[in-house]
Amino acid sequence: MTTWEAEPEVETLAGQARAAADAVWSKRAARRVRSLVEQRSIEVVHAHNLFPSLSPIVLRAAHSAGAAVVVTLHNYRYLCLPGTLIRQGRPCDVCVGHVPWRGVVHRCYRDSLAGSATIATSLTLHRSLSSFDAVDRFAAVSGFIRETYERTGFAPGRVVVKPNFAPPVPVRDGPGEGFVYLGRLTPEKGVDTLLDAWRGAGDLAAHLGVLTIVGGGPQEDELRAMAPPGVRFLGDVPAEQVPGLIRAARAVMIPSRWEEAAVPRVALEAYASGVAVISSDRGALPEGVIDDETGMLVPADDAAGWREAAAAMSVGATGERLGRGALALWRERYGPEAGLEALEALYLEATTRS
């Protein structure tokens, strides 16, 4: 394995200027990539994140040196400056299919005018120069994100779906107790809907059990203040504690109100544990959460619907049945073996350049 430090020094004005230039057209990254391809006879260059240090010029460099080029579409980065299609906690697609000047006005990239202008310049320049034509295959992490890109005319016929995967972990024994949310505490994540569901539980409260909120973020203080009885906050926890928290729960909750680009990793980790998922029906979530097979789908902001789903999951053997379905889907689609098979097929497609 060969590594090099691509991130420039940005503490000084000179470093900031260099970082901005690299985000638009990084000559040193292009030289390094071309050199590696030629010296090592590399057949496939697989890029995951081009900004801010590499820039799309490395795609042109890899292609011109003779390598097949693959780019994973983890998010909406090439359509939206922050890559989320969210602004101020609400869905936003005003830049999709257009020059992203509105994203500059709203400082959408890291809340920085200069940073937003830099990424917008890079995207606009490389679209005009057809730099993305150097990519043989784009690997979308979901069918939803593939459709979103193709709807804008982005790389028609070159986007394939390559889902994420999760490693094996010990499988839950028994039905579990209570419910758990794991993730950032921001408005688009919809955690306030869960709190409203528990607040209105009434006689169902004993059946629902404790709702555990794991994670931190800008909305944490607000959510703690509005939390009803039966909800506990753990804040950020060490990564090694996460599998145990998932395994102890009856189900994992994903109440997102934004268009999730992929089936979240926490859902795949739950499936590997034999734990069902209750999720909203936004974005890519319905691709991985199969209603009444691996979990339940609920409209994002429907607190009563979330309460009813949690109650249904708590009755009889429903949670265990859906957990078995979740584990079966993990083995079929989201385990390491399936991930490796999909990656090998992706590289074969890229190298044949069909």
Short mmCIF file of all heavy atoms in Angstrom, two decimals, residues 214-274:
data_model
loop_
_atom_site.label_atom_id
_atom_site.label_comp_id
_atom_site.label_asym_id
_atom_site.label_seq_id
_atom_site.Cartn_x
_atom_site.Cartn_y
_atom_site.Cartn_z
N VAL A 214 -28.56 7.84 21.03
CA VAL A 214 -27.10 7.80 21.05
C VAL A 214 -26.56 8.74 19.99
O VAL A 214 -26.94 8.65 18.82
CB VAL A 214 -26.59 6.37 20.79
CG1 VAL A 214 -25.06 6.34 20.83
CG2 VAL A 214 -27.17 5.39 21.80
N GLY A 215 -25.68 9.63 20.39
CA GLY A 215 -25.07 10.57 19.44
C GLY A 215 -25.18 11.99 19.95
O GLY A 215 -25.86 12.29 20.94
N GLY A 216 -24.49 12.88 19.27
CA GLY A 216 -24.51 14.30 19.63
C GLY A 216 -24.73 15.15 18.40
O GLY A 216 -24.87 14.65 17.30
N GLY A 217 -24.74 16.46 18.62
CA GLY A 217 -24.94 17.37 17.50
C GLY A 217 -25.57 18.66 17.94
O GLY A 217 -25.89 18.85 19.13
N PRO A 218 -25.77 19.58 17.02
CA PRO A 218 -26.25 20.92 17.36
C PRO A 218 -27.65 20.95 17.98
O PRO A 218 -28.00 21.93 18.63
CB PRO A 218 -26.23 21.67 16.03
CG PRO A 218 -26.21 20.62 14.98
CD PRO A 218 -25.48 19.47 15.58
N GLN A 219 -28.44 19.91 17.81
CA GLN A 219 -29.79 19.90 18.34
C GLN A 219 -29.88 19.19 19.70
O GLN A 219 -30.98 19.07 20.27
CB GLN A 219 -30.74 19.22 17.34
CG GLN A 219 -32.18 19.70 17.43
CD GLN A 219 -33.10 18.98 16.46
OE1 GLN A 219 -32.78 17.96 15.88
NE2 GLN A 219 -34.30 19.54 16.30
N GLU A 220 -28.75 18.74 20.23
CA GLU A 220 -28.78 17.90 21.41
C GLU A 220 -29.46 18.58 22.60
O GLU A 220 -30.34 18.00 23.27
CB GLU A 220 -27.37 17.46 21.80
CG GLU A 220 -27.36 16.53 23.02
CD GLU A 220 -25.98 15.96 23.31
OE1 GLU A 220 -25.02 16.26 22.55
OE2 GLU A 220 -25.86 15.22 24.30
N ASP A 221 -29.07 19.81 22.93
CA ASP A 221 -29.64 20.49 24.10
C ASP A 221 -31.15 20.68 23.93
O ASP A 221 -31.93 20.47 24.88
CB ASP A 221 -28.96 21.84 24.31
CG ASP A 221 -27.52 21.70 24.77
OD1 ASP A 221 -27.16 20.60 25.25
OD2 ASP A 221 -26.76 22.68 24.65
N GLU A 222 -31.57 21.06 22.75
CA GLU A 222 -33.00 21.26 22.48
C GLU A 222 -33.78 19.97 22.66
O GLU A 222 -34.86 19.95 23.27
CB GLU A 222 -33.17 21.79 21.06
CG GLU A 222 -34.61 21.94 20.61
CD GLU A 222 -34.72 22.28 19.13
OE1 GLU A 222 -33.71 22.63 18.51
OE2 GLU A 222 -35.85 22.20 18.59
N LEU A 223 -33.24 18.88 22.14
CA LEU A 223 -33.94 17.59 22.24
C LEU A 223 -33.98 17.09 23.68
O LEU A 223 -35.00 16.55 24.13
CB LEU A 223 -33.26 16.57 21.33
CG LEU A 223 -33.36 16.84 19.83
CD1 LEU A 223 -32.50 15.86 19.05
CD2 LEU A 223 -34.82 16.77 19.37
N ARG A 224 -32.89 17.27 24.41
CA ARG A 224 -32.89 16.86 25.82
C ARG A 224 -33.96 17.62 26.60
O ARG A 224 -34.65 17.05 27.46
CB ARG A 224 -31.51 17.11 26.44
CG ARG A 224 -30.45 16.08 26.05
CD ARG A 224 -29.12 16.43 26.70
NE ARG A 224 -28.05 15.50 26.39
CZ ARG A 224 -27.75 14.41 27.07
NH1 ARG A 224 -28.45 14.11 28.17
NH2 ARG A 224 -26.75 13.62 26.71
N ALA A 225 -34.10 18.91 26.28
CA ALA A 225 -35.05 19.73 27.02
C ALA A 225 -36.49 19.32 26.75
O ALA A 225 -37.36 19.48 27.62
CB ALA A 225 -34.84 21.20 26.66
N MET A 226 -36.77 18.81 25.55
CA MET A 226 -38.14 18.47 25.19
C MET A 226 -38.47 16.99 25.39
O MET A 226 -39.59 16.57 25.13
CB MET A 226 -38.42 18.85 23.73
CG MET A 226 -37.61 18.07 22.72
SD MET A 226 -37.91 18.60 20.99
CE MET A 226 -39.58 18.00 20.74
N ALA A 227 -37.50 16.21 25.87
CA ALA A 227 -37.70 14.77 25.97
C ALA A 227 -38.71 14.42 27.06
O ALA A 227 -38.63 14.93 28.18
CB ALA A 227 -36.37 14.08 26.24
N PRO A 228 -39.66 13.53 26.77
CA PRO A 228 -40.62 13.08 27.78
C PRO A 228 -40.04 11.94 28.62
O PRO A 228 -38.94 11.44 28.31
CB PRO A 228 -41.78 12.57 26.92
CG PRO A 228 -41.10 12.02 25.70
CD PRO A 228 -39.94 12.95 25.45
N PRO A 229 -40.73 11.50 29.65
CA PRO A 229 -40.28 10.31 30.38
C PRO A 229 -40.17 9.11 29.45
O PRO A 229 -40.90 9.00 28.46
CB PRO A 229 -41.39 10.11 31.41
CG PRO A 229 -42.00 11.46 31.59
CD PRO A 229 -41.94 12.11 30.24
N GLY A 230 -39.25 8.23 29.77
CA GLY A 230 -39.07 7.05 28.94
C GLY A 230 -38.02 7.21 27.86
O GLY A 230 -37.83 6.30 27.04
N VAL A 231 -37.36 8.38 27.85
CA VAL A 231 -36.30 8.63 26.86
C VAL A 231 -35.01 8.91 27.60
O VAL A 231 -34.98 9.71 28.54
CB VAL A 231 -36.65 9.82 25.95
CG1 VAL A 231 -35.51 10.09 24.97
CG2 VAL A 231 -37.94 9.56 25.20
N ARG A 232 -33.93 8.27 27.18
CA ARG A 232 -32.62 8.55 27.78
C ARG A 232 -31.62 8.92 26.69
O ARG A 232 -31.67 8.40 25.58
CB ARG A 232 -32.11 7.36 28.59
CG ARG A 232 -31.81 6.12 27.76
CD ARG A 232 -31.07 5.07 28.56
NE ARG A 232 -30.77 3.89 27.77
CZ ARG A 232 -29.84 2.99 28.09
NH1 ARG A 232 -29.13 3.13 29.21
NH2 ARG A 232 -29.62 1.94 27.31
N PHE A 233 -30.73 9.83 27.02
CA PHE A 233 -29.69 10.28 26.09
C PHE A 233 -28.34 9.79 26.60
O PHE A 233 -27.99 10.02 27.76
CB PHE A 233 -29.67 11.81 25.99
CG PHE A 233 -30.82 12.39 25.22
CD1 PHE A 233 -32.08 12.51 25.80
CD2 PHE A 233 -30.66 12.83 23.92
CE1 PHE A 233 -33.15 13.05 25.10
CE2 PHE A 233 -31.71 13.37 23.20
CZ PHE A 233 -32.96 13.48 23.79
N LEU A 234 -27.57 9.16 25.72
CA LEU A 234 -26.24 8.69 26.09
C LEU A 234 -25.14 9.57 25.53
O LEU A 234 -23.98 9.41 25.92
CB LEU A 234 -26.02 7.25 25.61
CG LEU A 234 -26.96 6.18 26.18
CD1 LEU A 234 -26.51 4.79 25.71
CD2 LEU A 234 -27.02 6.24 27.69
N GLY A 235 -25.48 10.49 24.61
CA GLY A 235 -24.45 11.29 23.97
C GLY A 235 -23.60 10.42 23.05
O GLY A 235 -23.99 9.33 22.65
N ASP A 236 -22.41 10.91 22.72
CA ASP A 236 -21.49 10.11 21.90
C ASP A 236 -20.91 8.99 22.75
O ASP A 236 -20.55 9.20 23.92
CB ASP A 236 -20.36 10.99 21.37
CG ASP A 236 -20.85 11.99 20.33
OD1 ASP A 236 -21.69 11.62 19.49
OD2 ASP A 236 -20.41 13.16 20.38
N VAL A 237 -20.81 7.82 22.17
CA VAL A 237 -20.25 6.67 22.87
C VAL A 237 -19.11 6.09 22.05
O VAL A 237 -19.06 6.27 20.82
CB VAL A 237 -21.33 5.58 23.13
CG1 VAL A 237 -22.49 6.14 23.93
CG2 VAL A 237 -21.82 4.97 21.83
N PRO A 238 -18.17 5.37 22.68
CA PRO A 238 -17.10 4.73 21.91
C PRO A 238 -17.67 3.74 20.90
O PRO A 238 -18.70 3.09 21.14
CB PRO A 238 -16.29 4.00 23.00
CG PRO A 238 -16.59 4.75 24.26
CD PRO A 238 -18.02 5.19 24.13
N ALA A 239 -16.99 3.63 19.77
CA ALA A 239 -17.49 2.78 18.68
C ALA A 239 -17.69 1.34 19.12
O ALA A 239 -18.61 0.66 18.65
CB ALA A 239 -16.53 2.85 17.50
N GLU A 240 -16.85 0.88 20.03
CA GLU A 240 -16.95 -0.52 20.43
C GLU A 240 -18.21 -0.82 21.24
O GLU A 240 -18.60 -1.99 21.42
CB GLU A 240 -15.71 -0.95 21.23
CG GLU A 240 -15.45 -0.15 22.49
CD GLU A 240 -14.54 1.05 22.25
OE1 GLU A 240 -14.42 1.50 21.10
OE2 GLU A 240 -13.95 1.52 23.24
N GLN A 241 -18.88 0.22 21.74
CA GLN A 241 -20.13 0.02 22.48
C GLN A 241 -21.36 -0.06 21.57
O GLN A 241 -22.41 -0.53 21.99
CB GLN A 241 -20.32 1.14 23.49
CG GLN A 241 -19.32 1.16 24.62
CD GLN A 241 -19.61 2.26 25.63
OE1 GLN A 241 -20.72 2.82 25.67
NE2 GLN A 241 -18.63 2.59 26.45
N VAL A 242 -21.23 0.37 20.34
CA VAL A 242 -22.39 0.45 19.44
C VAL A 242 -23.02 -0.91 19.16
O VAL A 242 -24.25 -1.05 19.25
CB VAL A 242 -22.00 1.18 18.14
CG1 VAL A 242 -23.11 1.05 17.10
CG2 VAL A 242 -21.71 2.65 18.44
N PRO A 243 -22.25 -1.96 18.82
CA PRO A 243 -22.90 -3.25 18.55
C PRO A 243 -23.73 -3.77 19.71
O PRO A 243 -24.82 -4.33 19.51
CB PRO A 243 -21.71 -4.17 18.24
CG PRO A 243 -20.64 -3.26 17.75
CD PRO A 243 -20.80 -2.01 18.56
N GLY A 244 -23.25 -3.57 20.93
CA GLY A 244 -24.00 -4.02 22.09
C GLY A 244 -25.30 -3.26 22.28
O GLY A 244 -26.33 -3.84 22.65
N LEU A 245 -25.28 -1.96 22.02
CA LEU A 245 -26.50 -1.16 22.13
C LEU A 245 -27.53 -1.59 21.09
O LEU A 245 -28.73 -1.65 21.37
CB LEU A 245 -26.16 0.33 21.95
CG LEU A 245 -25.39 0.97 23.10
CD1 LEU A 245 -24.83 2.33 22.70
CD2 LEU A 245 -26.28 1.12 24.33
N ILE A 246 -27.06 -1.88 19.88
CA ILE A 246 -27.97 -2.35 18.83
C ILE A 246 -28.55 -3.71 19.22
O ILE A 246 -29.76 -3.95 19.13
CB ILE A 246 -27.23 -2.44 17.49
CG1 ILE A 246 -26.87 -1.04 16.99
CG2 ILE A 246 -28.08 -3.19 16.46
CD1 ILE A 246 -26.02 -1.04 15.73
N ARG A 247 -27.70 -4.59 19.65
CA ARG A 247 -28.12 -5.97 19.96
C ARG A 247 -29.10 -6.02 21.13
O ARG A 247 -29.94 -6.93 21.22
CB ARG A 247 -26.88 -6.82 20.24
CG ARG A 247 -27.04 -8.28 20.06
CD ARG A 247 -25.72 -9.01 19.90
NE ARG A 247 -24.72 -8.63 20.89
CZ ARG A 247 -23.60 -7.98 20.60
NH1 ARG A 247 -23.34 -7.61 19.37
NH2 ARG A 247 -22.74 -7.68 21.55
N ALA A 248 -29.00 -5.06 22.02
CA ALA A 248 -29.88 -5.06 23.20
C ALA A 248 -31.28 -4.56 22.88
O ALA A 248 -32.22 -4.75 23.67
CB ALA A 248 -29.27 -4.20 24.30
N ALA A 249 -31.46 -3.89 21.74
CA ALA A 249 -32.72 -3.23 21.43
C ALA A 249 -33.70 -4.16 20.71
O ALA A 249 -33.31 -5.14 20.06
CB ALA A 249 -32.47 -2.01 20.56
N ARG A 250 -34.97 -3.81 20.82
CA ARG A 250 -35.99 -4.52 20.04
C ARG A 250 -35.88 -4.14 18.56
O ARG A 250 -36.09 -4.95 17.68
CB ARG A 250 -37.37 -4.18 20.59
CG ARG A 250 -38.50 -5.04 20.05
CD ARG A 250 -39.79 -4.76 20.77
NE ARG A 250 -39.76 -5.19 22.16
CZ ARG A 250 -40.06 -6.42 22.57
NH1 ARG A 250 -40.41 -7.34 21.70
NH2 ARG A 250 -40.02 -6.73 23.86
N ALA A 251 -35.58 -2.87 18.30
CA ALA A 251 -35.40 -2.40 16.92
C ALA A 251 -34.60 -1.10 16.93
O ALA A 251 -34.58 -0.38 17.93
CB ALA A 251 -36.74 -2.19 16.22
N VAL A 252 -33.97 -0.82 15.81
CA VAL A 252 -33.27 0.45 15.58
C VAL A 252 -34.23 1.39 14.87
O VAL A 252 -34.96 1.00 13.95
CB VAL A 252 -32.00 0.22 14.73
CG1 VAL A 252 -31.44 1.54 14.20
CG2 VAL A 252 -30.95 -0.51 15.55
N MET A 253 -34.22 2.66 15.27
CA MET A 253 -35.12 3.67 14.70
C MET A 253 -34.34 4.63 13.80
O MET A 253 -33.29 5.16 14.21
CB MET A 253 -35.78 4.48 15.82
CG MET A 253 -36.35 3.65 16.96
SD MET A 253 -37.85 2.78 16.46
CE MET A 253 -39.10 3.90 17.07
N ILE A 254 -34.86 4.86 12.59
CA ILE A 254 -34.24 5.81 11.65
C ILE A 254 -35.34 6.73 11.13
O ILE A 254 -35.93 6.49 10.07
CB ILE A 254 -33.54 5.08 10.48
CG1 ILE A 254 -32.55 4.05 11.02
CG2 ILE A 254 -32.83 6.08 9.58
CD1 ILE A 254 -31.87 3.23 9.94
N PRO A 255 -35.62 7.84 11.84
CA PRO A 255 -36.76 8.70 11.49
C PRO A 255 -36.43 9.84 10.52
O PRO A 255 -37.07 10.89 10.55
CB PRO A 255 -37.16 9.25 12.85
CG PRO A 255 -35.86 9.39 13.58
CD PRO A 255 -35.00 8.22 13.12
N SER A 256 -35.46 9.67 9.66
CA SER A 256 -34.97 10.75 8.80
C SER A 256 -36.09 11.41 8.00
O SER A 256 -36.96 10.74 7.46
CB SER A 256 -33.93 10.20 7.81
OG SER A 256 -32.79 9.72 8.49
N ARG A 257 -36.00 12.74 7.92
CA ARG A 257 -36.93 13.48 7.07
C ARG A 257 -36.24 14.02 5.82
O ARG A 257 -36.85 14.73 5.04
CB ARG A 257 -37.59 14.62 7.85
CG ARG A 257 -36.65 15.60 8.51
CD ARG A 257 -37.42 16.82 9.06
NE ARG A 257 -38.42 16.45 10.03
CZ ARG A 257 -38.27 16.56 11.36
NH1 ARG A 257 -37.12 16.99 11.86
NH2 ARG A 257 -39.24 16.24 12.17
N TRP A 258 -34.95 13.69 5.64
CA TRP A 258 -34.26 14.08 4.42
C TRP A 258 -34.12 12.85 3.52
O TRP A 258 -34.38 11.73 3.93
CB TRP A 258 -32.90 14.70 4.70
CG TRP A 258 -31.80 13.75 5.08
CD1 TRP A 258 -31.71 12.97 6.20
CD2 TRP A 258 -30.60 13.48 4.33
NE1 TRP A 258 -30.56 12.25 6.21
CE2 TRP A 258 -29.85 12.53 5.07
CE3 TRP A 258 -30.09 13.94 3.12
CZ2 TRP A 258 -28.61 12.05 4.63
CZ3 TRP A 258 -28.86 13.46 2.69
CH2 TRP A 258 -28.16 12.53 3.44
N GLU A 259 -33.75 13.09 2.26
CA GLU A 259 -33.63 12.01 1.29
C GLU A 259 -32.32 11.27 1.52
O GLU A 259 -31.28 11.62 0.96
CB GLU A 259 -33.70 12.57 -0.13
CG GLU A 259 -34.93 13.40 -0.43
CD GLU A 259 -36.22 12.58 -0.45
OE1 GLU A 259 -36.15 11.35 -0.28
OE2 GLU A 259 -37.28 13.17 -0.66
N GLU A 260 -32.35 10.24 2.33
CA GLU A 260 -31.15 9.47 2.63
C GLU A 260 -30.55 8.94 1.33
O GLU A 260 -31.22 8.30 0.52
CB GLU A 260 -31.47 8.30 3.55
CG GLU A 260 -31.81 8.69 4.98
CD GLU A 260 -30.59 8.93 5.83
OE1 GLU A 260 -29.46 8.83 5.31
OE2 GLU A 260 -30.76 9.20 7.05
N ALA A 261 -29.26 9.19 1.13
CA ALA A 261 -28.61 8.77 -0.11
C ALA A 261 -28.35 7.27 -0.15
O ALA A 261 -28.28 6.67 -1.22
CB ALA A 261 -27.28 9.51 -0.27
N ALA A 262 -28.21 6.66 1.01
CA ALA A 262 -27.92 5.23 1.10
C ALA A 262 -28.71 4.63 2.25
O ALA A 262 -29.24 5.35 3.11
CB ALA A 262 -26.43 5.01 1.32
N VAL A 263 -28.79 3.31 2.27
CA VAL A 263 -29.29 2.64 3.46
C VAL A 263 -28.22 2.85 4.53
O VAL A 263 -27.07 2.43 4.35
CB VAL A 263 -29.51 1.14 3.21
CG1 VAL A 263 -30.05 0.47 4.47
CG2 VAL A 263 -30.46 0.92 2.04
N PRO A 264 -28.52 3.55 5.63
CA PRO A 264 -27.48 3.93 6.58
C PRO A 264 -26.73 2.73 7.15
O PRO A 264 -27.29 1.64 7.29
CB PRO A 264 -28.27 4.66 7.68
CG PRO A 264 -29.52 5.12 7.01
CD PRO A 264 -29.84 4.06 6.01
N ARG A 265 -25.50 2.97 7.48
CA ARG A 265 -24.66 1.91 8.03
C ARG A 265 -25.28 1.32 9.30
O ARG A 265 -25.18 0.11 9.54
CB ARG A 265 -23.26 2.43 8.33
CG ARG A 265 -22.32 1.36 8.86
CD ARG A 265 -20.90 1.87 9.01
NE ARG A 265 -20.03 0.84 9.56
CZ ARG A 265 -19.45 -0.12 8.84
NH1 ARG A 265 -19.64 -0.15 7.54
NH2 ARG A 265 -18.67 -1.02 9.41
N VAL A 266 -25.94 2.15 10.11
CA VAL A 266 -26.52 1.63 11.34
C VAL A 266 -27.59 0.59 11.03
O VAL A 266 -27.78 -0.37 11.79
CB VAL A 266 -27.08 2.77 12.21
CG1 VAL A 266 -28.29 3.44 11.55
CG2 VAL A 266 -27.45 2.26 13.60
N ALA A 267 -28.31 0.74 9.91
CA ALA A 267 -29.31 -0.26 9.53
C ALA A 267 -28.62 -1.57 9.16
O ALA A 267 -29.08 -2.66 9.55
CB ALA A 267 -30.15 0.24 8.36
N LEU A 268 -27.52 -1.48 8.42
CA LEU A 268 -26.80 -2.69 8.03
C LEU A 268 -26.19 -3.39 9.24
O LEU A 268 -26.17 -4.63 9.33
CB LEU A 268 -25.71 -2.35 7.01
CG LEU A 268 -26.16 -1.54 5.79
CD1 LEU A 268 -25.02 -1.39 4.81
CD2 LEU A 268 -27.37 -2.17 5.13
N GLU A 269 -25.70 -2.61 10.20
CA GLU A 269 -25.16 -3.18 11.43
C GLU A 269 -26.26 -3.86 12.25
O GLU A 269 -26.04 -4.91 12.87
CB GLU A 269 -24.47 -2.10 12.25
CG GLU A 269 -23.20 -1.57 11.60
CD GLU A 269 -22.60 -0.39 12.33
OE1 GLU A 269 -23.33 0.25 13.13
OE2 GLU A 269 -21.42 -0.07 12.11
N ALA A 270 -27.45 -3.27 12.23
CA ALA A 270 -28.59 -3.89 12.91
C ALA A 270 -28.93 -5.22 12.25
O ALA A 270 -29.14 -6.24 12.92
CB ALA A 270 -29.79 -2.96 12.89
N TYR A 271 -28.98 -5.22 10.93
CA TYR A 271 -29.30 -6.46 10.21
C TYR A 271 -28.29 -7.55 10.51
O TYR A 271 -28.64 -8.72 10.69
CB TYR A 271 -29.32 -6.19 8.70
CG TYR A 271 -30.54 -5.44 8.21
CD1 TYR A 271 -31.51 -4.95 9.09
CD2 TYR A 271 -30.72 -5.22 6.85
CE1 TYR A 271 -32.61 -4.28 8.63
CE2 TYR A 271 -31.84 -4.55 6.38
CZ TYR A 271 -32.78 -4.08 7.27
OH TYR A 271 -33.88 -3.41 6.80
N ALA A 272 -27.00 -7.20 10.56
CA ALA A 272 -25.97 -8.18 10.87
C ALA A 272 -26.16 -8.77 12.27
O ALA A 272 -25.74 -9.90 12.54
CB ALA A 272 -24.59 -7.54 10.75
N SER A 273 -26.80 -8.01 13.15
CA SER A 273 -27.07 -8.46 14.52
C SER A 273 -28.40 -9.19 14.63
O SER A 273 -28.76 -9.63 15.73
CB SER A 273 -27.09 -7.25 15.47
OG SER A 273 -25.87 -6.55 15.44
N GLY A 274 -29.16 -9.28 13.53
CA GLY A 274 -30.48 -9.88 13.60
C GLY A 274 -31.50 -8.98 14.26
O GLY A 274 -32.45 -9.46 14.89
#
